[in-house]
């Protein structure tokens, strides 16, 4: 218990480091100027995710140098962390210069390649009705697809005060608890550092936000959570535990996928900025950003409860734990669509002019 309290004290120090980094980004701001596709009405600093990245990297530096219990004995973790940091630097430059989407995707793909080349690859997948399926050579493209998809889903969802920050804090804290129970020390430490980083960032991002996370925070968080999902697959021999992270952030993944499919079917660009995610339509229909962020926090707590139930199920039953999460998100989509209809809203994008 005393060691765990030491870890919490260290995490609190990292949260203070994160808060200091966020405060500096407010003091020397990268301004996000409003336009027709953004919800804010006045120039607001962005790049607050710098605090999250600083806290995480400091934690990992201390871990690698001092902590024997979770020393980075496996070389892929060091390479992945450095690749994630490099991607975050590109994302920070994007916050300043506003690169084309292909530039950001290239940096993400490079980081994902490092992860896969280091050996973080899914080798089997549990499917309802089929059991555990060996992936063979498909493991590499599926892992790349997952890392890129998760990175961009988190990035795309970062458009409302405290929504992604709240989900990421709770999901990281829950993953930390799960990893501790499984003796998975690297996942435990990494998720603890992420949670600490978001704990330092969140007070500045609560509605009305004093600063936005920016691509530097959302892309880094999405990438690290994707990597931790692959690492968590090692919690059991069947690798069914790869579902833990997707389940914890399921509300973000569902909204991002729902929006991507809807826009693709309508012939619209899936990478172009817009204000037609479910959470954005909920705000436009009259729900406050604070209430939408709170709802997503409740979703995440519900998902954490499903993760707790996950470990009580047989391997063949475990994939079914996604069904209650899916049912809740479908219900949320129905609620938003109903509010849109009553408010006379459609998915038509606001004019840029």
């Amino acid at each position: 218990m005393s060691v765990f309290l030491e870890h919490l004290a260290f995490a609190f120090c990292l949260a203070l480091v994160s808060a200091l980094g966020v405060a500096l980004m407010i003091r020397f701001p990268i301004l996000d100027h409003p336009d027709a596709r953004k919800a804010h009405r006045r120039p607001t600093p962005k790049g607050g995710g710098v605090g999250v990245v600083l806290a995480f990297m400091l934690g990992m530096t201390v871990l690698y140098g001092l902590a024997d219990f979770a020393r980075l004995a496996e070389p892929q973790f060091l390479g992945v962390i450095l690749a994630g940091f490099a991607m975050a630097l590109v994302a920070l430059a994007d916050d300043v210069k506003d690169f084309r989407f292909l530039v950001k995707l290239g940096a993400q793909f490079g980081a994902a390649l490092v992860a896969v080349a280091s050996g973080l690859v899914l080798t089997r997948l549990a499917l309802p009705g089929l059991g555990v399926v060996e992936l063979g050579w498909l493991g590499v493209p599926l892992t790349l697809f997952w890392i890129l998809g998760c990175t961009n889903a988190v990035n795309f969802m970062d458009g409302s005060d405290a929504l992604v920050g709240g989900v990421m804090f709770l999901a990281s804290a829950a993953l930390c608890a799960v990893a501790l129970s499984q003796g998975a020390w690297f996942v435990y430490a990494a998720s603890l550092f992420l949670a600490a980083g978001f704990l330092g960032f969140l007070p500045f991002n609560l509605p009305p936000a004093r600063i936005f996370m920016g691509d530097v925070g959302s892309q880094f968080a999405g990438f690290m959570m994707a990597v931790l999902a692959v690492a968590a697959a090692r919690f059991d021999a069947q690798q069914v535990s790869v579902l833990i992270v997707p389940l914890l952030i399921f509300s973000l993944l569902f909204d991002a996928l729902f929006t991507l499919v809807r826009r693709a079917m309508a012939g619209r660009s899936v990478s172009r900025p817009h204000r037609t995610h479910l959470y954005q339509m909920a705000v436009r229909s009259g729900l406050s950003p604070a209430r939408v962020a709170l709802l997503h926090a409740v979703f995440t707590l519900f998902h954490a409860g499903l993760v707790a139930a996950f470990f009580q199920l047989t391997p063949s039953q475990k994939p079914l734990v996604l069904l209650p999460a899916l049912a809740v998100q479908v219900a949320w989509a129905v609620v938003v669509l109903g509010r849109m209809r009553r408010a006379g809203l459609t998915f038509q994008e606001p004019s840029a002019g």
Side-chain angles (χ1 to χ4, degrees):
M1 176 60 77
S2 62
V3 173
F4 180 65
L5 292 177
E6 290 177 7
H7 296 170
L8 288 182
F10 180 58
F12 181 73
C13 293
L14 292 180
L16 294 179
V17 170
S18 175
L20 177 60
V22 177
L24 287 174
M25 293 302 293
I26 294 175
R27 178 68 177 82
F28 304 100
I30 303 170
L31 290 179
D32 189 350
H33 295 278
D35 61 34
R37 294 186 176 88
K38 297 177 181 178
H40 58 289
R41 295 290 177 258
R42 57 183 175 81
T44 303
K46 61 180 177 178
V50 163
V52 177
V53 176
L54 286 176
F56 185 87
M57 295 304 297
L58 176 59
M60 281 298 168
T61 300
V62 173
L63 180 72
Y64 188 70
L66 302 176
D68 291 333
F69 85 97
R71 195 174 180 86
L72 304 181
E74 298 179 77
Q76 68 261 36
F77 290 133
L78 181 58
V80 167
I81 290 166
L82 293 177
F85 181 65
M87 186 193 70
L89 291 179
V90 174
L92 179 60
D94 175 55
D95 283 330
V96 177
K97 297 293 187 179
D98 195 17
F99 296 148
R100 295 174 57 193
F101 178 72
L102 285 179
V103 175
K104 296 186 282 189
L105 186 63
Q108 296 166 10
F109 187 70
L113 278 179
V114 171
V116 169
S118 299
L120 282 172
V121 179
L122 294 172
T123 59
R124 51 184 70 94
L125 196 64
L127 300 174
L130 296 178
V132 177
V133 177
E134 295 292 335
L135 294 176
W137 65 269
L138 283 175
V140 170
L142 280 176
T143 304
L144 286 172
F145 178 79
W146 159 247
I147 294 175
L148 290 174
C150 183
T151 301
N152 282 288
V154 174
N155 182 223
F156 291 161
M157 288 294 291
D158 183 35
S160 187
D161 299 349
L163 192 156
V164 167
V167 168
M168 282 294 157
F169 169 68
L170 293 172
S172 299
L175 181 60
C176 179
V178 170
L180 178 63
S181 71
Q182 299 295 308
W185 299 118
F186 174 76
V187 177
Y188 162 73
S191 52
L192 179 65
F193 299 159
L194 270 181
F198 279 106
L199 180 62
F201 166 74
L202 265 175
F204 300 92
N205 190 236
L206 294 175
R210 295 170 57 190
I211 190 170
F212 301 144
M213 189 185 308
D215 282 359
V216 62
S218 59
Q219 289 190 37
F220 181 80
F223 175 80
M224 291 311 307
M225 290 298 278
V227 167
L228 291 177
V230 181
R234 302 175 181 184
F235 288 0
D236 58 57
Q238 294 83 17
Q239 296 192 5
V240 189
S241 52
V242 71
L243 297 174
I244 291 173
V245 170
L247 182 56
L248 287 171
I249 61 172
F250 194 77
S251 67
L252 303 184
L253 299 178
F254 177 87
D255 193 329
L257 183 60
F258 177 90
T259 303
L260 184 149
V261 171
R262 180 187 55 77
R263 288 177 63 82
M265 291 179 64
R268 298 186 179 277
S269 170
V270 298
S271 61
R272 183 181 179 184
H274 60 90
R275 288 181 58 199
T276 60
H277 277 281
L278 285 173
Y279 76 90
Q280 291 169 321
M281 300 308 298
V283 172
R284 290 171 62 187
S285 73
L287 283 178
S288 69
R291 184 164 295 183
V292 172
L294 179 60
L295 280 169
H296 277 268
V298 171
F299 293 153
T300 307
L301 291 174
F302 173 64
H303 299 153
L306 292 177
V307 167
F310 176 90
F311 288 98
Q312 310 304 317
L313 303 175
T314 65
S316 62
Q317 293 172 331
K318 284 179 177 178
L320 300 178
V321 80
L322 291 173
L323 294 180
L326 178 61
V328 168
Q329 291 307 305
V330 170
W332 166 240
V334 171
V335 168
V336 173
L337 292 172
R339 292 184 61 89
M340 288 173 57
R341 180 177 55 80
R342 291 190 295 273
L345 295 173
T346 68
F347 285 113
Q348 183 69 35
E349 298 173 24
S351 171

